[in-house]
Amino acid sequence: MADDRVVPVILSGGVGTRLWPLSREGFPKQFWPLVGESTMLQETVSRGTGPGFAPPMIICAEAHRFLVAEQLREAGVAGGRIVLEPAPRNSAPAIAAAAILAAEENPQALLWVMAADAAIKDVPALHAALAHAAAAARAGHIVTFGMRPTTPETGFGYIEVGSPLPGLDGASAIASFVEKPDAARAAEFLSGGRHLWNAGMFVARASTLVAELERLAPELVAAVRAAVDAAARDLDFVRLGPAFAEAPSISIDYAVMERTAHAAVVPADIGWSDVGSWDALWHASPKDAAGNATHGPVSMVDARNCYVRSEGILTTVVGLEDVVVVATEDAVLALHRDRAQDVKKLVDQLRAQKRPEAGAHRRMYRPWGHYEGLIQGDRFQVKKILVRPGEKLSLQKHYHRAEHWVVVNGTAIVERDAERLLLRENESVYLPLGCVHRLENPGMIPLTLIEVQAGSYLGEDDIVRFEDTYGRA
């Protein structure tokens, strides 16, 4: 009997630039808890977990593979596949890869494609809309979800709803797709009742998607199929081949939805937000009696309708209205809420100035845990390193620096040339320049240590790896 469970396909390739300084290339918004206790990715995965759902397929960048794997592990999700893009190519190539991979096992697989970074308040209503979309998809349609607009939003595309599809409750034909409108036209759409926000969520059989992509975008499918044929499969990871980078960078709307005769829409009223800006996050967040949404150590006096977030330091606001203040470990952003879309301009400016804060956090995530820069000076720097239980760093050496390690929590096994040392809390080890070394956490709790580096060059590229559990040697 064919497996007719819904396969969640989660697109996790976005950067979320408009949520800087929290969301950056190294750790974008889908990996942060923005509207709840779980991260956006974990919230998205949870909506497609349970009876009637197959394990998910996550499409993400190579650099984020261990972040995705760790967040799935934390959420208790097993059996999912993580598909790694060698280069970002927009939604159509990503969806094509998912459809081709799913069709290898079951051409009739029912795919539910969604972004990893949207917020949805009413999950039962979402599942009710999914049931309508699945029925239409089983009948051969490629179904998109249209969100009922609540404001005259100019930052979204719209879908004009056509006639109801015979015999398919809740599904309609699509009369037209509309690009992002100006304010006057968006107000007309809101009052008219025939236009829905285009949320970028789709349901279709793998065979239907592949057939329409082959018909409408044959060059794209050829590149993606070559990438799938050359893919390296390693545990839960599928590393697409280099041909993927040759696929046209195009959205699924342009490649298929606006041109296919099989498009359909299911209207949905589910409390959806793309959380695409700080203003959108303010709208999606719980608020106090004065309309303020806060996160972290925040104190406010006579403030109204503000979003204030701190990832560590005490952040205070007095007498302001309609502002956003965000404090991270290395950057502070302050803006009026109606300028939320302009954060992208700011990030572009920071990139032009070659500011590292534009794309990287002070905390850098690795497959074994993370490290965080604390102090940097002339010929020295200090880092805090956390290694998860059972994990270990690569066997390595450095040409230009020596290192001192001090264990502050947990237990460490340190290889230093021919030696193998066991270090406990408050014990330390010196690693002279050029020695071959490795760090391992054999314990049941995270290992935390302070690393002091000293030398003529302290860049992360001064690493020669001899052996690595994660395939980086």
Side-chain angles (χ1 to χ4, degrees), residues 177-203:
F177 287 86
V178 183
E179 292 292 330
K180 297 175 182 178
D182 59 24
R185 200 172 185 208
E188 291 177 8
F189 290 168
L190 179 62
S191 61
R194 293 187 302 110
H195 291 81
L196 307 171
W197 287 336
N198 185 354
M201 191 187 304
F202 307 91
V203 178

Side-chain angles (χ1 to χ4, degrees), residues 210-233:
V210 172
E212 286 300 275
L213 282 161
E214 286 179 331
R215 184 175 70 85
L216 298 169
E219 293 181 3
L220 183 151
V221 173
V224 174
R225 198 179 288 281
V228 171
D229 290 344
R233 289 166 169 82

Side-chain angles (χ1 to χ4, degrees), residues 332-344:
V332 177
L333 171 72
L335 73 153
H336 198 278
R337 277 186 24 236
D338 64 10
R339 298 293 299 275
Q341 296 297 325
D342 291 336
V343 173
K344 186 176 185 301

Side-chain angles (χ1 to χ4, degrees), residues 225-269:
R225 198 179 288 281
V228 171
D229 290 344
R233 289 166 169 82
D234 173 23
L235 298 176
D236 295 331
F237 298 121
V238 179
R239 290 181 170 84
L240 297 174
F244 187 82
E246 300 171 9
S249 181
I250 186 172
S251 73
I252 194 68
D253 285 339
Y254 287 135
V256 173
M257 295 303 292
E258 296 183 9
R259 302 160 63 196
T260 181
H262 301 287
V265 61
V266 169
D269 189 0

Side-chain angles (χ1 to χ4, degrees), residues 94-106:
I95 293 171
I100 292 169
L101 285 165
E104 289 178 345
E105 298 179 359
N106 177 14

Side-chain angles (χ1 to χ4, degrees), residues 4 109 151 189-190 360 430:
D4 206 32
T151 59
F189 290 168
L190 179 62
Y430 171 61

Side-chain angles (χ1 to χ4, degrees), residues 104-326:
E104 289 178 345
E105 298 179 359
N106 177 14
Q108 297 306 303
L110 196 64
L111 307 185
W112 179 22
V113 181
M114 66 199 105
D117 54 4
I120 293 174
K121 293 182 178 179
D122 192 342
V123 175
L126 169 68
H127 288 160
L130 174 62
H132 293 310
R138 291 186 178 103
H141 294 280
I142 303 174
V143 187
T144 186
F145 291 66
M147 304 302 165
R148 298 194 186 279
T150 56
T151 59
E153 178 60 55
T154 60
F156 300 148
Y158 284 73
I159 297 167
E160 184 182 4
V161 180
S163 302
L165 294 176
L168 294 171
D169 186 35
S172 297
I174 295 176
S176 67
F177 287 86
V178 183
E179 292 292 330
K180 297 175 182 178
D182 59 24
R185 200 172 185 208
E188 291 177 8
F189 290 168
L190 179 62
S191 61
R194 293 187 302 110
H195 291 81
L196 307 171
W197 287 336
N198 185 354
M201 191 187 304
F202 307 91
V203 178
R205 290 204 185 275
S207 57
T208 305
L209 279 170
V210 172
E212 286 300 275
L213 282 161
E214 286 179 331
R215 184 175 70 85
L216 298 169
E219 293 181 3
L220 183 151
V221 173
V224 174
R225 198 179 288 281
V228 171
D229 290 344
R233 289 166 169 82
D234 173 23
L235 298 176
D236 295 331
F237 298 121
V238 179
R239 290 181 170 84
L240 297 174
F244 187 82
E246 300 171 9
S249 181
I250 186 172
S251 73
I252 194 68
D253 285 339
Y254 287 135
V256 173
M257 295 303 292
E258 296 183 9
R259 302 160 63 196
T260 181
H262 301 287
V265 61
V266 169
D269 189 0
I270 58 177
W272 173 87
S273 170
D274 73 335
V275 197
S277 70
W278 290 113
D279 183 57
L281 183 52
W282 175 80
H283 279 284
S285 300
K287 304 171 187 67
D288 63 18
N292 298 309
T294 64
H295 177 93
V298 170
S299 187
M300 310 177 77
V301 174
D302 296 333
R304 296 182 62 82
N305 300 325
C306 296
Y307 183 90
V308 184
R309 184 184 188 104
S310 173
E311 294 302 311
I313 63 171
L314 175 63
T315 302
T316 58
V317 170
V318 178
L320 296 180
E321 294 187 16
D322 300 316
V323 302
V324 171
V325 179
V326 181

